[in-house]
Amino acid sequence: MLEQLLIFTRGGLILWTCKELGNALKGSPIDTLIRSCLLEERSGAASYNYDAPGAASYTLKWTFHNELGLVFVAVYQRILHLLYVDELLEMVKREFSEIYDPKRVEYFDFDETFRQLRKEAEARAEELRKVKPMGNDGRKQQVVKKGSGGFDGGNKKNKSDAKEADGDDGKGRKLENGHSNGNHNVVGEGNRGMGLANGKENARSNNGAFDVSKLQKLKSKGVKKTTDTSVVVSKGSKADPKKKVTKKNRVWDDSPKDAKLDFTDPVEENGNENIQVMAADQGESMMDKEEIISSDSEEDEEDEEVGKDSKPDAKKKGWFSSMFQSIAGKANLEKADLEPALKALKDRLMTKNVAEEIAEKLCESVAASLEGKKQASFTRISSTVQAAMEEALVRILTPRRSIDILRDVHAAREQRKPYVVVFVGVNGVGKSTNLAKVAYWLLQHKVSVMMAACDTFRSGAVEQLRTHARRLQIPIFEKGYEKDPAVVAKEAIQEATRNGSDVVLVDTAGRMQDNEPLMRALSKLIYLNNPDLVLFVGEALVGNDAVDQLSKFNQKLADLSTSPNPRLIDGILLTKFDTIDDKVGAALSMVYISGSPVMFVGCGQSYTDLKKLNVKAIIKTLLK
Amino acid sequence: MEGIEQWKTEAQQWLQQGIEYAHQIPPTQLYAAVAVLLFTTLLLLTIRLLKRTKSNTIVLSGLSGSGKTVLFYQLRDGSSHQGTVTSMEPNEGTFLLHSESAKQKGNIKPVHVVDVPGHSRLRPKLDEFLPQAAGIVFVVDALEFLPNLSAVTEYLYDILTKASVVKRKLPVLICCNKTDKVTAHTKEFIRKQLEKEIEKLRVSRSGVSDADIANDYTLGIPGEVFSFSQCINKVTIGEASGLTGEISQVEEFIRAHVK
Ligand SMILES: Nc1nc2c(ncn2[C@@H]2O[C@H](COP(=O)(O)OP(=O)(O)OP(=O)(O)O)[C@@H](O)[C@H]2O)c(=O)[nH]1
Ligand SMILES: [Mg+2]
């Protein structure tokens, strides 16, 4: 059963809900959907799962009408695997956009239309279900023939089917026919709707993939022989390779790890050499320096780039037609119009080292937000797409939570508690070095800092941290190796409370995201000490691996935690930012996948080389 | 180089021709044309100036879920219709306030109201509207006030330290919403808590690091405990219930600044 179906404006006003369904939704699935999915540039996904407090767990599906600025959301119990929801949403969208008037806010007359649409959709789903177990071509051909035979055929079929179905269903189908117009082709229509849904689902989510694959099989078996459903067939076959591609993508682990391991250790040593002894003052940390971008030159560059980009585009399309289109403003943007521009944009993002999966999802989300929209006059599609992408990027990279660490430190100080930061990450990304940089920055703000050497795993780790502590002249808490890091951290925090340190920076052992025992240990450390900030240290060099690292870290922290609401990664420290030139994609990938902001950027070998992320500059670079 | 020379001579010729042509026109016509030209430019300029000084834009801001959209529709239609969900885009409209349109008193100026979503990812939108604003209504959820205290304060602090607010001395109404519920906090309580929290923020943000956070101005008077009365712009506090339509204080605020 459908739990609820809502129609609301992007501004947030509910225009219509189904009162008949009348189920009060538990929790706030709609708000959660908007906040954590639609506004996080994940609207390209096929569905969203929401677990309400209590037992209910919902699946939400949605569709946009971008030109009118409307959102359609359907909510149903997850266990039900409703097959007709996508189709129903599309139908509701089509019907509702006919009667929509921006000045009107109430649509009680839509109740009746909806009742019919729903019955229609349910009937169709029922039909598909019945067809499925039979599975033989003969039967299906029969259905199709009847369907293409037009109105009468449809009716006949309904009569014959009604015998098998219970009374209610029969009624539903009759109603459907009453509503439809003469050339209504039941099977064709149904499949088209499903086909669309299929492509979408295959590309992204495994939710309900079960149902979809079944449907797909069904389709390729059944509809092949008809002529008027060739669209569907081609769509179905198109969906297949897509599926394969995503599968390939999922095998992250096999991808080469950018020779990272060989690279980092020397860097760390270098770092130690370069930092002079008695480095207690190397000047202001770059965290506090206003970044001055030579905006003029950059802008010039950008313009040039745009010029370059546009040329081949324009040539392909033919000078005149593109010119005409740009002046007249094209009616409504369609997926096919957007495709080339999106493809180009995706490639551009990928050359900037954005993980492929992320680039793909972003483009889908941008497509979802543009499809059906009126294009403004005097604009090219590529620039419309680019503008939409820029907006999306601004949204993603704008921190969701406060990244004002100093304030939180002050707040903790007031409560006479040390502010605890745990640095986590894979091996050799520069955790200790950057921990020292953060310490240096905090010292400059007259915050007393203590280090806790909880890397009791890698030999030399404690010594390395001790060197930093000596140079910065701050206390370090260490218990040697072979100790449980969680306990060491705990003792360190107790010590800090005793001696009145404001901040405890906890260094942990680097670990690969797949190393279960070590991840379990980390989860324990975090659970036991409940730090104020879990900082993920990641290399700006990583490409596709960024997704795997962060998602697995978060996943493992959630899975292996013994507490009901586990702590996840709160923020990101991006290291080696000075070595990547314009390949700044890792920043985007990491923020997107974790939903946490980049709080620091390490950009060099000295203690002062710690910066804030310059969101504007990143976006500029990404889209260049 | 040659090309440029050629252009120059050509241009000179045209100029000559132009002058000759001008000589042929009777001087009265010429003067009239010049006068018309001057007049129109002046007119355009004054219109622009007037538009600038007499903005009619009121910006509704505040955290997500504080009730801005409900308030927006109350102001416009006198009803919150069938409820709201989290906004993904600003709501904008130029209208007579609903309570006034009933009276029809002749020449009241319509208000341009903008409801900027509170979701932190959409906050950059606020900067688009502030430069043309005549006043800001900062909506606070008086029901769920304490759990959100630090987030509310941070947002308010950011607004109160923006150049577009301080420089233009934009009036701010802190609107404690949802007072229809008995458990809602009073506006006095909310004011005190906000002042206390801002004081903390001020300490941690000023002095230490100006470049860290993109605040344009610092708040209050150094050495004194912060209170809203220290702000250069006028900050007032009021109560409302968007859901039940008790929004008279908001309407008064709007009418005080959009005339
Ligand atoms: N009790 C009560 N509830 C209210 C009042 N005003 C708003 N609400 C409720 O608060 C919730 C959020 O209201 P919205 O107006 O959508 O919030 P918003 O400020 O626009 O939120 P964003 O769009 O996310 O920024 C809704 O469920 C309203 O019913 C009020 O005066 N009293
Ligand atoms: Mg809203």
Side-chain angles (χ1 to χ4, degrees), chain A residues 314-488:
Chain A
K315 250 181 218 159
K316 242 184 273 163
K317 273 211 174 150
W319 178 81
F320 182 77
S321 72
S322 82
M323 181 77 164
F324 179 76
Q325 260 188 21
S326 76
I327 290 173
K330 220 199 150 219
N332 282 346
L333 288 170
E334 273 168 36
K335 192 139 198 169
D337 302 334
L338 295 170
E339 213 99 279
L342 281 172
K343 175 84 182 46
L345 199 56
K346 184 184 156 199
D347 290 346
R348 199 179 318 163
L349 287 177
M350 278 163 62
T351 62
K352 297 287 155 49
N353 213 11
V354 176
E356 185 179 355
E357 190 182 330
I358 309 282
E360 171 104 33
K361 278 193 185 144
L362 269 172
C363 287
E364 275 160 9
S365 158
V366 166
S369 77
L370 284 179
E371 218 178 306
K373 218 172 193 164
K374 266 227 163 59
Q375 201 189 349
S377 323
F378 295 109
T379 49
R380 271 182 287 120
I381 288 183
S382 59
S383 44
T384 310
V385 169
Q386 171 128 351
M389 179 60 86
E390 190 172 335
E391 264 197 25
L393 292 180
V394 170
R395 276 203 292 274
I396 294 172
L397 291 170
T398 305
R400 197 168 33 178
R401 60 187 287 273
S402 157
I403 56 166
D404 187 359
I405 290 190
L406 284 174
R407 177 183 90 147
D408 297 344
V409 169
H410 284 281
R413 185 196 273 166
E414 242 163 58
Q415 297 175 11
R416 310 201 173 284
K417 274 195 322 199
Y419 185 83
V420 182
V421 186
V422 176
F423 290 69
V424 305
V426 301
N427 310 77
V429 290
K431 270 191 302 301
S432 309
T433 316
N434 283 284
L435 183 145
K437 287 186 203 166
V438 172
Y440 180 82
W441 173 68
L442 286 169
L443 282 180
Q444 288 197 319
H445 291 304
K446 311 203 172 44
V447 172
S448 59
V449 184
M450 191 174 102
M451 289 179 180
C454 296
D455 184 352
T456 58
F457 189 72
R458 179 171 67 93
S459 66
V462 175
E463 285 75 13
Q464 188 194 352
L465 207 64
R466 204 186 289 145
T467 319
H468 284 304
R470 206 179 53 238
R471 282 181 193 151
L472 295 168
Q473 301 185 329
I474 54 178
I476 178 170
F477 187 91
E478 50 169 303
K479 274 282 152 80
Y481 299 93
E482 300 295 323
K483 263 227 150 196
D484 183 352
V487 178
V488 179

Side-chain angles (χ1 to χ4, degrees), chain B residues 18 29 35 39 57 67 79 128 160 189 194 197 202 214 225 244:
Chain B
Q29 252 182 45
F39 180 73
T57 303
S79 153
E128 286 172 26
L160 290 178
F189 176 82
L194 285 176
E197 274 308 292
R202 196 169 67 131
V225 177
T244 53

Side-chain angles (χ1 to χ4, degrees), chain A residues 9 21 44 77 79 123 269 294 325 375 482 519 525 540 570:
Chain A
T9 65
L21 294 165
Q77 296 274 356
I79 37 167
E269 270 162 41
S294 52
Q325 260 188 21
Q375 201 189 349
E482 300 295 323
M519 288 307 295
L525 187 151
D570 304 308

Side-chain angles (χ1 to χ4, degrees), chain A residues 11-12 31 35, chain B residues 62-71 83-88 115-119 139 141 143 177-181 240-244:
Chain A
D31 285 335
R35 283 177 199 166
Chain B
L63 292 192
S64 188
S66 55
K68 297 175 296 295
T69 308
V70 170
L71 195 61
T84 57
V85 294
T86 303
S87 306
M88 300 162 72
D115 153 33
V116 183
H119 192 281
V139 186
D141 184 344
L143 219 50
N177 193 27
K178 310 196 183 179
T179 47
D180 50 304
K181 288 273 161 52
S241 162
L243 214 55
T244 53

Side-chain angles (χ1 to χ4, degrees), chain B:
Chain B
M1 271 326 256
E2 265 176 46
I4 292 175
E5 285 297 317
Q6 206 179 331
W7 271 99
K8 248 187 191 167
T9 47
E10 245 172 65
Q12 257 163 5
Q13 274 172 4
W14 282 341
L15 196 71
Q16 210 92 65
Q17 276 176 5
I19 290 168
E20 271 166 34
Y21 181 69
H23 279 304
Q24 286 165 9
I25 305 169
T28 42
Q29 252 182 45
L30 210 66
Y31 289 141
V34 171
V36 166
L37 200 76
L38 268 177
F39 180 73
T40 40
T41 40
L42 270 178
L43 196 75
L44 283 176
L45 269 179
T46 43
I47 284 174
R48 279 210 48 190
L49 270 178
L50 276 178
K51 260 201 180 153
R52 251 209 210 138
T53 47
K54 283 214 170 170
S55 149
N56 63 342
T57 303
I58 296 288
V59 175
L60 304 180
S61 62
L63 292 192
S64 188
S66 55
K68 297 175 296 295
T69 308
V70 170
L71 195 61
F72 177 87
Y73 283 101
Q74 278 291 358
L75 288 169
R76 198 185 81 171
D77 307 333
S79 153
S80 59
H81 306 297
Q82 300 170 66
T84 57
V85 294
T86 303
S87 306
M88 300 162 72
E89 258 173 26
N91 289 297
E92 237 182 295
T94 307
F95 46 79
L96 292 177
L97 299 181
H98 182 75
S99 56
E100 295 169 342
S101 55
K103 282 183 241 156
Q104 281 298 352
K105 256 201 295 185
N107 56 353
I108 350 175
K109 192 172 167 187
V111 194
H112 177 220
V113 183
V114 186
D115 153 33
V116 183
H119 192 281
S120 48
R121 297 221 188 270
L122 297 172
R123 287 207 199 140
K125 285 261 183 263
L126 192 64
D127 294 321
E128 286 172 26
F129 296 106
L130 284 186
Q132 36 162 326
I136 302 171
V137 178
F138 186 82
V139 186
V140 177
D141 184 344
L143 219 50
E144 287 282 299
F145 174 64
L146 287 175
N148 297 320
L149 180 55
S150 66
V152 173
T153 317
E154 204 156 311
Y155 194 16
L156 182 60
Y157 185 94
D158 284 346
I159 290 177
L160 290 178
T161 51
K162 274 190 202 302
S164 48
V165 175
V166 180
K167 261 199 200 147
R168 298 171 53 229
K169 298 203 177 75
L170 274 188
V172 176
L173 172 71
I174 298 171
C175 170
C176 307
N177 193 27
K178 310 196 183 179
T179 47
D180 50 304
K181 288 273 161 52
V182 282
T183 48
H185 293 285
T186 62
K187 66 176 186 185
E188 271 316 299
F189 176 82
I190 289 177
R191 185 180 57 80
K192 283 206 190 97
Q193 291 294 321
L194 285 176
E195 284 177 347
K196 224 169 75 190
E197 274 308 292
I198 288 185
E199 173 66 22
K200 282 187 208 161
L201 259 188
R202 196 169 67 131
V203 171
S204 81
R205 286 202 183 175
S206 67
V208 268
S209 52
D210 296 328
D212 267 16
I213 300 127
N215 290 123
D216 304 326
Y217 289 86
T218 47
L219 264 187
I221 303 163
E224 269 179 56
V225 177
F226 177 79
S227 85
F228 286 119
S229 57
Q230 293 165 359
C231 292
I232 308 167
N233 50 335
K234 199 170 155 213
V235 181
T236 46
I237 191 146
E239 285 179 337
S241 162
L243 214 55
T244 53
E246 285 155 42
I247 51 167
S248 56
Q249 293 185 19
V250 180
E251 290 174 332
E252 275 160 28
F253 173 82
I254 293 176
R255 272 308 160 205
H257 299 286
V258 179
K259 277 177 202 137

Side-chain angles (χ1 to χ4, degrees), chain A residues 179-191:
Chain A
H179 181 77
S180 59
N181 29 29
N183 58 2
H184 197 114
N185 178 330
V186 179
V187 172
E189 265 273 328
N191 273 327

